[in-house]
Amino acid sequence: MTVSANVEESKQDGRELASVTDPTASYPLKYDDSFTTEASCTSLGFFCESPSSFRWCWSATQSAIMACPPGTQCLCDTTDRNPCGMSYQASIVCGNTDPYIVIPTSTPIPTPVPSTPTPTPYSPPTPTATPTPYTTRTPVPTPTPSPTPTATPKPTATATPRPTATATPRPTATPTPTPKPTSTPTPTPAVTTTPSPVGVLSGVKKLRAEQLTSLFENSVLDLQYGYCENIRDGRGFTAGRAGFTTRDGDAVMVVQRYVNSVPGNPLATYLSTLKSLASQESGSVTGLTGYCSAWQQALKDPAFKAAQDSVVDQLYFNPSQQAAAKIGVKYALSLAFFYDTIIQHGGGNDPDSLSALVKSTTSALGGTPLTGIDEKTWVTKFIAVRKADLLHAYEPSTRDVWAESAGRADVYAYIASTGNWDLEGPIPLNGAGGYRNTIP
């Protein structure tokens, strides 16, 4: 998940903010510790600097130049969302809707120093080409990334007594499933479903998807916002509902967003240290004494939970739904499975990633729902492909723990077998994958 030639470290992660001294670097978007201090940000958010880079302004006087992931280019000139997209996209969602990217009324953005020349802003091109569905394992551009790249797997740890939380770029922490029943689960009556709009998973159905993932990751249905622990996996502290780590850049995103919303909060004192650790990709916990206590203290503030939700959507949920929409997936069950897959497998290009599993499924069936393959047939095969990967992961460091988590795929296969493709509740799991819970 770092940017070296090492197999473990070469996974592209989407969540790592990268040093961009070379915007054409093969693995972009990690934190750059050389943050600029200049009066050049007239608003907060992301702004195209060139076809391959953009500026991230997080305060009136602090910004950094960052690079778009390989195969993408900057398409949004002013946005709080991911400004990078594939060259063939007719359009991407731009604009400013993030409640945490705001201009404090009490601190106006200073006007750039007149003597400093202002570069002519890059004008994004108007893409015209249409993507061709891929049918092989040959790497192709991944779905539109979030402001920071999407996540790759992290090594998992068995939760005892408290489960470890996960955050993909790293193989996620997966609790040891309870023993599987010796008998085949009795399917609940089939449910007649109507597909949800393409790429839409919201409200109670989104909650059910999140509860399923929380069950797999933490053995409980409730999202674990207050979880914080050093699981000694080389990534510092792992905390929050998605296992944000102090090494990989997503924890600092949560804290920065919370500071933007509530200055002087209990975690604000750690922000500088978190930026330094993320820029060095360091798993050290030096300088983080009391970090977990501060994390749990911040839990009392609804704005802290909102900051976590926002980062999860940005790094994992939205990219998973974009990947699903790209191939024409419509059913809520399908969309939920894409979300759970990116949480565990990550959104990079390594052989265990979401994109690799999608390509393998597409190759096996000769197409996608967008090109005419029945969605239920395609997703059923996708579930089987993911289970095979969990049982025989490409990455050696994850094989044993991922093999123990193959029940995640079994749960989705079971729900599909009942005909509940629109994810209507309640959903009794009846021992599928070793789980006897009921999703409300």
Side-chain angles (χ1 to χ4, degrees), residues 99-100 102 254-269 271 298 301-307:
Y100 298 100
V102 296
V254 171
V255 174
Q256 179 71 71
R257 191 156 294 188
Y258 184 35
V259 168
N260 289 348
S261 177
V262 184
N265 67 66
L267 287 165
T269 185
L271 188 56
D301 187 351
F304 183 51
K305 290 184 178 180

Side-chain angles (χ1 to χ4, degrees), residues 1-2 13-18 28-31 149 247-248 281:
M1 192 201 68
T2 57
D13 181 50
R15 305 169 345 139
E16 293 187 324
L17 299 176
L29 302 183
K30 288 187 303 179
Y31 256 94
R247 191 198 82 167
D248 295 320
E281 296 179 0

